[in-house]
Amino acid sequence: MDKYIIIAPKGRERFMNRVDELYLTLSTYLEEEHSSGRHLQLAKVFLSDAQNQYGDLVASPLYQSILSKSACSIIEQPPLDGSKITLLVKTSDCRDNFILDSIRLSEEETRGMNSYIQTMLIFNKYLEKMKQEGLTLKEHCVRTWIYVADIDVNYEGMVRARNDIFRNQGLTPETHFIASTGIGGFSQTRSASVAIDFLTYPEVKETDKKYLHALDNLNPTHEYGVSFERGTHLDLNGKQTIFISGTASIDKYGKAMYVGDIKRQTARLLENIGALLHDGGATMRDVQYFLVYLRDPSDRELVEEFLSKAYPTTPHVLLQGKVCRPEWLVEMECVAVKE
C-alpha cells in the first residue's frame, strides 16, 4: 500500500533548527515505515523563502541523507501555518517505477527570457531526456506541476508555450492532455518565472490510463484555451492511482462560482473533485491528501476549519499560491489510491 503524510516542524526557532527537527522526525518515521515494509518514494518540500533557504536545505543532513535519495521536488510556496518548511512524504511497500523530473532553470538560462521562452526551454529539456530514454511525453508523462512566479503576469506566456508544445507532440482535444496543476510558485532561481515537475511512468501504456470527466460540473479545459486533463486514472501493477489536477470553484461552462466567498468556493471545488473521483471509480474516502492553495493568506483559518470538519482524517497542507484567475480564491489537488 501507499502511505502519504504531511510533516511540519513544531518549533519556531530559526530555519535550520526547524530543518534539524524535520530530519529527526522524518528519520524516526521512516524507521517505523521500514519495519512495516514501506520505503520512501517521493517527497515534496514547500519553503517560505527559497532565496534564503534553498542553499541551507540542500546542504543539510535532511536533504543529503534522506531527501536526495528519492524523488524530490523543492518549491517556494509558503506553508500558511508559519512552519517555514513542510514536507509531503510518500512511502510504499511496492517498487513503483516512476521518475520525477524537477526541472529548474539557471540564472543564465532565464535572464531576459519571458515566461513563454522559459516554458519552452523546460519542456525541451524534458523532451530531450525522454527521447534519450525511448519515452514520449504523450504516452509516458502522467502528471505535471507548473509553478509560475508572479502568475497574474506570467501565466499567459506559460499557457501559450504549453499549447504549442502539446500541439507539436500530438496532444490535442481529440487525443488527450496531461493532468496538471498550474499555480503560483517560485524556484531558487531569482530570475525564473517558470519551474516544472514532470511525473513519468516508463512502463505505462495508453490503455492503462483513463482521463476523467465530470461534465455536469466542469467543462473541458480546451474550451477556455488551456490544455490539461481534469484528472487521470492510472491502473498499473494491480494498483489504481487517481491524479486530480488543480481544481477550483467553477461551473460546467467554465465560469468562476461564488466570487469573493471563500467558504462557498471551497465547498464547490470539493464537489467538483468528488465528481471527478466518481468518474474514476473512487470516492473522497480514497483521497490520500489535499494540497490547498490560497491566494490570500488571511483566508487560512476559514479553509482550515472547513477541511478539519469535513475531512478530519485526510492529511492536508495550506500553502500560499495564487491561482491562475484572480477571482479564484482557492484551489486544491489530491491523489486517491485504490489497492
Side-chain angles (χ1 to χ4, degrees), residues 47 60 78 115-117 136 138 169 182 186 191 197 200 205 207 211 225 239 245 249 278 307:
L47 298 177
S60 71
S115 60
Y116 178 91
I117 296 174
T136 66
K138 185 175 182 180
Q169 295 296 311
F186 296 81
S191 56
D197 292 338
T200 307
K205 303 180 184 65
T207 53
Y211 302 102
K239 179 173 63 180
S245 299
S249 175
H278 178 74
L307 281 175

Side-chain angles (χ1 to χ4, degrees), residues 28 50-52 64 68 121 130 200 228 258 281 309 329 332:
T28 301
Q51 292 299 306
N52 285 304
Q64 294 292 326
S68 65
L121 284 172
M130 291 299 97
T200 307
F228 69 92
Y258 310 121
K309 288 181 178 178
L329 304 177
M332 293 190 203

Side-chain angles (χ1 to χ4, degrees), residues 162-176:
R162 180 175 59 181
N163 288 349
D164 289 348
I165 288 285
F166 281 6
R167 192 179 305 111
N168 180 263
Q169 295 296 311
L171 285 83
T172 70
E174 290 70 38
T175 60
H176 69 84

